[in-house]
Amino acid sequence: MSERAAPFYCPYCGEEDLRPLEGEGSWYCADCARSFRLRFLGVGAPSGGPTDDDRGAQP
């Protein structure tokens, strides 16, 4: 993907006044003054390896 994918709204307050920050996938919301980072994990189902939920589970 050559262009940066932009979020449509802030995940904290839901407003749309977002501005890109330095760094890969970093954004700033001018309405609630929060910064956040988005990361693309991939397409499709997990490959079958352990997930974050599985690592903390007791057998």
Side-chain angles (χ1 to χ4, degrees):
M1 179 184 281
S2 62
E3 293 183 27
R4 176 179 15 201
F8 294 108
Y9 57 89
C10 174
Y12 297 102
C13 70
E15 294 296 328
E16 299 176 358
D17 190 4
L18 302 176
R19 300 167 189 180
L21 289 176
E22 298 275 331
E24 186 77 21
S26 298
W27 294 87
Y28 170 74
C29 176
D31 289 307
C32 69
R34 289 184 170 127
S35 298
F36 58 94
R37 178 176 292 162
L38 300 176
R39 185 172 63 170
F40 179 71
L41 298 177
V43 176
S47 62
T51 63
D52 289 340
D53 294 334
D54 295 336
R55 289 186 185 126
Q58 297 290 331

